[in-house]
Amino acid sequence: MTMILIVSVFLTFLLSKPGFSSSSLQMKTGLSLSTPNDSKDLFLVVGNRVSLSYSLMLRKGGTGLIGIKNQRIVFSVENSDNLEKVPDEEIIDLPEEESCPASDMKDAELAEVLTNFTVEVRGVKAGRSVIWTSSIPNTIDTADSSITLHIKKSKTVEDFINIIGWLSFILWSISFYPQIYNNFKRKSVAGLNIDFVVFNVVGFALYSCFNLNLLFNKEIQEEYISLHPGGVIPVELNDVVFSVHATLAASITLTQCVLLDRAGQKMSSPCQMSLILTAVLVVVVVSLASCGYMTWLGCLY
């Protein structure tokens, strides 16, 4: 049973999106638009503004903007109602001598920044918005320039939610240890319901699988957002830390049930049947998701 759960976690957690292939024209020019790594996901409070930074890069061996007229960066927004109007486009107007032919680059340099520009946006409604860019003409690789904005109603409310979440994690996590200590001190688990411990391990393991994927797996996040446009991922870091810790703590208690004196207690028949059914269900839904007959989000639910 434990191996089945571990396999299901890795199958979903390691799933990745297919890569992006640049067009031949983009390969020729060597131009790409990117944002700093720490700016891919930004948190914004309703009423506040944020400046989005972009860099136009020229890869060594590319022709740059030579011979290209009226180069424009066009912006498109998912859930644009959450934001004050975003500029339609940014015009790239560089003299040819400043578009830096690759032959002028130092040998050690693989890419050079041609120009930087910023776009200011303001949140007007709580939710999630994504800003994409494209180029006209299609000479610039913009695959690395999307920015996701998570817009919150109030920083005070958000901080309060985080405090309550971490406080809940601490208090609930502490509650596991008196039983573990008591079992160790008595060298016995007599009186502790083994079915309860088994269900705890299985339940928290599956809960961890759900939380880990919703928070870290991009494909599953996209599936969730497609079902809830404008919504936000309903899992926080404290949810992940709690569920993983609870799985470990419950597993320690289960190990004690195996190694220490049980006073004749054993797992009940209904519990054994429930474990078998759960194992079969996990194998079936993971297989269906792997073969494309259902989404990974549906598998997790």
Side-chain angles (χ1 to χ4, degrees):
M1 180 60 196
T2 302
M3 288 302 298
I4 293 174
L5 295 178
I6 293 175
V7 170
S8 68
V9 171
F10 277 99
L11 278 172
T12 53
F13 185 67
L14 295 179
L15 198 64
S16 59
K17 294 287 287 181
F20 176 86
S21 297
S22 299
S23 69
S24 57
L25 184 56
Q26 293 167 2
M27 293 293 290
K28 178 182 176 181
T29 63
L31 296 170
S32 62
L33 189 69
S34 63
T35 59
N37 290 332
D38 58 353
S39 299
K40 300 298 184 184
D41 286 89
L42 296 177
F43 290 87
L44 181 64
V45 176
V46 171
N48 288 358
R49 297 180 182 274
V50 64
S51 293
L52 309 180
S53 300
Y54 295 89
S55 297
L56 181 61
M57 308 290 294
L58 173 63
R59 189 185 65 253
K60 184 176 181 180
T63 59
L65 291 170
I66 293 179
I68 299 174
K69 305 296 183 182
N70 301 318
Q71 180 67 65
R72 293 178 292 152
I73 302 297
V74 180
F75 298 93
S76 47
V77 185
E78 177 186 300
N79 301 314
S80 57
D81 291 345
N82 296 337
L83 300 171
E84 206 169 61
K85 182 171 175 57
V86 175
D88 293 327
E89 62 182 36
E90 177 78 16
I91 298 176
I92 305 297
D93 187 17
L94 287 177
E96 286 198 3
E97 60 269 18
E98 292 183 17
S99 69
C100 191
S103 58
D104 291 344
M105 291 185 182
K106 296 177 182 179
D107 292 339
E109 294 177 337
L110 296 179
E112 180 174 330
V113 178
L114 290 187
T115 186
N116 297 302
F117 62 91
T118 60
V119 175
E120 189 175 78
V121 297
R122 176 175 177 268
V124 297
K125 180 181 176 183
R128 173 186 177 275
S129 293
V130 182
I131 299 179
W132 290 288
T133 61
S134 58
S135 68
I136 299 177
N138 187 25
T139 56
I140 300 175
D141 180 357
T142 59
D144 195 37
S145 63
S146 65
I147 296 177
T148 302
L149 296 171
H150 305 273
I151 307 165
K152 309 294 184 179
K153 288 184 177 180
S154 167
K155 187 177 187 305
T156 302
V157 172
E158 191 67 20
D159 290 342
F160 179 75
I161 291 173
N162 286 329
I163 290 172
I164 294 299
W166 285 107
L167 183 61
S168 173
F169 156 70
I170 292 171
L171 295 178
W172 198 344
S173 296
I174 290 174
S175 70
F176 288 101
Y177 291 97
Q179 183 66 62
I180 293 174
Y181 174 75
N182 192 40
N183 294 341
F184 176 78
K185 184 178 180 180
R186 295 188 303 138
K187 306 299 181 185
S188 171
V189 293
L192 178 61
N193 190 294
I194 296 179
D195 292 0
F196 169 76
V197 177
V198 170
F199 285 134
N200 257 357
V201 173
V202 175
F204 285 131
L206 294 176
Y207 183 41
S208 297
C209 180
F210 178 88
N211 285 340
L212 284 166
N213 281 280
L214 256 294
L215 192 62
F216 297 115
N217 190 304
K218 295 299 182 183
E219 179 168 344
I220 291 177
Q221 288 179 344
E222 290 176 6
E223 290 177 3
Y224 181 88
I225 294 300
S226 69
L227 292 176
H228 307 278
V232 295
I233 301 300
V235 174
E236 299 286 348
L237 180 61
N238 51 57
D239 297 315
V240 172
V241 176
F242 165 74
S243 57
V244 172
H245 173 266
T247 302
L248 294 175
S251 297
I252 292 173
T253 306
L254 181 60
T255 301
Q256 290 180 321
C257 291
V258 173
L259 300 178
L260 301 180
D261 175 46
R262 297 192 297 272
Q265 295 183 105
K266 61 180 182 179
M267 195 187 309
S268 68
S269 297
C271 181
Q272 295 178 37
M273 288 300 299
S274 296
L275 288 181
I276 294 173
L277 292 175
T278 300
V280 171
L281 180 61
V282 168
V283 172
V284 169
V285 296
V286 169
S287 299
L288 289 175
S290 299
C291 296
Y293 291 107
M294 68 184 301
T295 65
W296 284 104
L297 181 63
C299 170
L300 288 177
Y301 276 120

